[in-house]
Amino acid sequence: MGVYNVSIVCANSFSSSSYSVLHTVQAAITGLSVPLPGGYVNTPFRVQFQLASGTSPAFTQDINGQPASQITFDPATLTGTSAFYSSTAGGIYYVNITATNMVSQAQLYQPFEIGAQIVAPGFLVLSTPFTSTPSRMFHFASPITFKV
């Protein structure tokens, strides 16, 4: 990868001529992804993205047509982030990212969910005709993860 000076010299017994051109060599862009596709209502968030490979990419990005005002990219880690977005309404939005360099282009269009944070999770155990246990609500003092 890099910029190289390519020269050609032609000569015979009567004259000579040469030509030089700068030639840029880049790696193709591959593996464009958004590892954390979501954010919280009323909380500013950034869209983070990553590449598997690519040299000197330029980016465009929007969520539901709202363009990112600024995009930063770290070529050492192949990761980038948008400026802050904010949403007052939850739902499924769509993030559209395009990465382009001199030899390739990659585009990603995927759902991006904006939701409410879960506060004080708990669950309710109901009594059934088959048990004599009364209904009870359980709460947790520390964060937990529910799998459905």
Side-chain angles (χ1 to χ4, degrees):
M1 304 317 125
V3 178
Y4 300 90
N5 187 12
V6 178
S7 298
I8 298 173
V9 178
C10 296
N12 63 19
S13 57
F14 299 105
S15 68
S16 68
S17 183
S18 65
Y19 177 75
S20 293
V21 63
L22 292 177
H23 181 72
T24 302
V25 177
Q26 294 184 331
I29 295 169
T30 63
L32 176 59
S33 65
V34 174
L36 302 171
Y40 295 118
V41 173
N42 296 322
T43 303
F45 61 90
R46 296 178 188 261
V47 176
Q48 297 177 353
F49 58 90
Q50 61 190 23
L51 299 177
S53 68
T55 306
S56 302
F59 296 93
T60 60
Q61 177 185 303
D62 68 74
I63 293 183
N64 280 16
Q66 179 186 354
S69 60
Q70 180 182 359
I71 297 172
T72 59
F73 181 73
D74 181 354
T77 62
L78 297 178
T79 58
T81 186
S82 71
F84 282 107
Y85 286 96
S86 184
S87 178
T88 58
I92 302 295
Y93 296 80
Y94 288 87
V95 62
N96 185 16
I97 302 174
T98 302
T100 307
N101 68 9
M102 295 175 75
V103 296
S104 63
Q105 177 176 311
Q107 183 170 16
L108 175 72
Y109 183 77
Q110 81 172 47
F112 193 88
E113 184 173 8
I114 305 299
Q117 290 184 349
I118 297 173
V119 178
F123 64 93
L124 178 64
V125 177
L126 299 173
S127 61
T128 68
F130 305 107
T131 65
S132 59
T133 307
S135 297
R136 290 182 23 180
M137 177 64 91
F138 292 87
H139 293 280
F140 303 93
S142 61
I144 60 168
T145 300
F146 290 98
K147 291 187 178 184
V148 181

